[in-house]
Amino acid sequence: MSLPPAAGTDGGAPPAPTTLRVLAVDDEAPALDELVWMLGRHPQVGRVLSAGSGEAALRVLHEQQVDAIFLDVQMPGLSGLDLARVLARFAAAPPVVFVTAHEQHAVDAFELNVVDYVLKPVRDERLAEAVRRVAQAVEGKEQGGAGATSDDESIVVELGGVSRLLPRSDVMWVEAHGDYARLHTASESHLVRMPLSTLADEWHESGFVRIHRSFLVSLGHIAEWRTEAGRTTVVVGGHELMVSRRHTRALRDLLVRRAQPRARGGG
């Protein structure tokens, strides 16, 4: 049984992409100039402001409004981590992306709920991914919570020796690997040092449900479910996952309740 499409996907022109006004912060002039230049080349970035220190960044923020901050971590005086902690107390803090040569601060970044963690030397495609995440966060705020939002939890993952922050909203399903869990997105997967049971407890309120002792899935990413000869499966991101008998009824009830309001409103 296929589930109805999400609201807003049944026709009409796609919304115009968000044009961002961003602030780049780095105490090293060559690195700052390069970051400003790279950000300025991105089609979703309309204007790039710059600051050579954390203190200068605060002065800019008191005078002008920005949509996001691309911030070095290790700076004399007010460090990037210090500045991020100050920004966390703002009533409407702009999303923060750390741009740094030091990957050991990824856990601190995770605790500060920054949008992304980009390692130097910065690659165009990696910076483009960070801009995409920022745009999602900004659009989510403007739409009152649609898409990725400022309270969308992130988790530190590693890919090719690079630490990064993965928003929970990107995760489609999770697979148990002993004391580890593998997070699956639309295009990649990441192994994290956390048991599936812990994620199931922590992410339950965010729409993740246990369908099997080995699988945790995001309700919003279930495309269809199938029942044949007493065997129930769901399709998530093109993958067919087994639903255990003990979880079948609860999952079916959740999916039916999720589909009913849309069915009534669909005409």
Side-chain angles (χ1 to χ4, degrees), residues 109-228:
F110 167 70
E111 293 175 349
L112 290 167
N113 291 321
V114 306
V115 170
D116 209 343
Y117 193 92
V118 179
L119 287 178
K120 299 177 181 177
V122 181
R123 295 176 288 111
D124 279 329
E125 60 272 23
R126 185 64 185 87
L127 189 63
E129 172 67 11
V131 171
R132 183 188 70 80
R133 294 180 186 277
V134 164
Q136 281 188 331
V138 171
E139 289 166 2
K141 288 181 180 180
E142 292 175 348
Q143 296 168 12
T149 63
S150 57
D151 63 353
D152 183 15
E153 181 183 330
S154 294
I155 189 165
V156 178
V157 299
E158 291 190 8
L159 184 64
V162 176
S163 298
R164 57 179 288 195
L165 293 170
L166 178 71
R168 179 175 54 204
S169 58
D170 283 4
V171 179
M172 305 179 77
W173 56 289
V174 187
E175 182 179 6
H177 276 266
D179 292 334
Y180 290 74
R182 183 168 293 279
L183 312 180
H184 294 269
T185 70
S187 60
E188 57 194 17
S189 68
H190 306 275
L191 195 64
V192 296
R193 193 190 299 270
M194 187 176 297
L196 188 72
S197 57
T198 298
L199 287 176
D201 291 339
E202 294 183 356
W203 289 7
H204 176 73
E205 297 298 324
S206 300
F208 283 79
V209 296
R210 192 80 173 261
I211 64 167
H212 190 277
R213 65 181 182 180
S214 298
F215 302 127
L216 178 71
V217 301
S218 169
L219 278 176
H221 286 295
I222 296 178
E224 60 183 272
W225 78 84
R226 304 167 180 170
T227 300
E228 298 178 358

Side-chain angles (χ1 to χ4, degrees), residues 50-65:
S50 63
S53 68
E55 293 82 0
L58 279 178
R59 290 193 291 270
V60 171
L61 293 172
H62 281 300
E63 296 172 359
Q64 304 192 54
Q65 183 175 353

